[in-house]
Amino acid sequence: LRGFRSLPQQNGAMSFTPHMNHRFTADNYAARLRWFETHLKDTFEFPRTATTRLDLKSDDGTPRFTVRPDLSGPHRLESVAVFYGFDRDPRARFWRSAEVVRQGDSFTAACPVKELGEPLFVFANVTYDTGELLQMPRGYADTRLLTVTSECRQASPQQLVAAGVKSVGERQRLI
């Protein structure tokens, strides 16, 4: 999470692909290329980083993560995907996908906590259709999509307990 915080948050500075160590999907890689085109050449309008809120208090004891993507630019919103994890070591963290519900310009996802003794980390990937086929380098298929990672939020075990978050079950060894 320190790495997330050290990046400039304005102008969509980050595109993170969960479950892939040092590899990217075409839409995540496209964001990296187009970010440079925006800031070095001024030839592409890059979406702003989505703002987020993590609400720990809820009626059912399940944290909720809310995302507000940039809808002001020329690119059509394609999807919002929310990922959350618990492991303290990001190299070993397994990201879970959350079901996302749209409410106007906001997208909300419940993030059930398995164990209150671990911190909660949450972020969203916001994917846009640029309306044009983006030329990609060798090894990647050309794509119209561009994925920008939102602000990342976290809650410590102490914050989870203080907010009344409820554990939803035991860890399972089955993958």
Side-chain angles (χ1 to χ4, degrees), residues 28-89:
N28 285 104
Y29 196 79
R32 294 164 186 270
L33 299 175
R34 296 307 185 218
W35 189 86
F36 283 106
E37 287 182 8
T38 299
H39 295 283
L40 298 178
K41 298 179 182 178
D42 199 27
T43 59
F44 188 81
E45 186 174 339
F46 203 90
R48 290 188 312 268
T49 301
T51 59
T52 62
R53 186 180 74 238
L54 178 59
D55 295 312
L56 299 180
K57 293 186 179 198
S58 68
D59 292 340
D60 65 358
T62 301
R64 299 286 193 282
F65 185 68
T66 302
V67 182
R68 290 190 63 89
D70 178 12
L71 301 176
S72 67
H75 314 300
R76 184 179 61 79
L77 180 68
E78 180 74 18
S79 65
V80 174
V82 171
F83 299 94
Y84 64 103
F86 307 103
D87 198 307
R88 295 169 193 263
D89 182 355

Side-chain angles (χ1 to χ4, degrees):
L1 192 61
R2 254 181 291 162
F4 275 78
R5 283 198 196 116
S6 69
L7 294 169
Q9 291 297 309
Q10 69 278 8
N11 299 323
M14 181 172 44
S15 188
F16 177 68
T17 307
H19 313 303
M20 299 180 80
N21 292 333
H22 302 288
R23 294 177 296 138
F24 308 99
T25 58
D27 52 307
N28 285 104
Y29 196 79
R32 294 164 186 270
L33 299 175
R34 296 307 185 218
W35 189 86
F36 283 106
E37 287 182 8
T38 299
H39 295 283
L40 298 178
K41 298 179 182 178
D42 199 27
T43 59
F44 188 81
E45 186 174 339
F46 203 90
R48 290 188 312 268
T49 301
T51 59
T52 62
R53 186 180 74 238
L54 178 59
D55 295 312
L56 299 180
K57 293 186 179 198
S58 68
D59 292 340
D60 65 358
T62 301
R64 299 286 193 282
F65 185 68
T66 302
V67 182
R68 290 190 63 89
D70 178 12
L71 301 176
S72 67
H75 314 300
R76 184 179 61 79
L77 180 68
E78 180 74 18
S79 65
V80 174
V82 171
F83 299 94
Y84 64 103
F86 307 103
D87 198 307
R88 295 169 193 263
D89 182 355
R91 294 170 298 173
R93 190 173 300 139
F94 175 78
W95 295 103
R96 291 166 172 80
S97 299
E99 184 176 330
V100 178
V101 176
R102 184 172 188 165
Q103 299 162 329
D105 291 345
S106 295
F107 297 78
T108 303
C111 302
V113 173
K114 298 283 184 193
E115 184 179 319
L116 294 175
E118 294 293 332
L120 172 64
F121 302 93
V122 192
F123 72 93
N125 273 348
V126 180
T127 302
Y128 297 92
D129 184 333
T130 63
E132 62 180 286
L133 193 61
L134 304 175
Q135 298 293 316
M136 297 295 290
R138 197 162 96 183
Y140 290 92
D142 293 344
T143 182
R144 299 170 59 95
L145 303 179
L146 173 90
T147 295
V148 182
T149 299
S150 73
E151 300 169 333
C152 184
R153 299 290 176 197
Q154 77 174 43
S156 69
Q158 295 82 6
Q159 290 171 310
L160 296 173
V161 170
V165 171
K166 295 180 181 160
S167 174
V168 294
E170 298 176 7
R171 289 183 184 226
Q172 297 180 358
R173 296 177 56 98
L174 180 65
I175 296 176

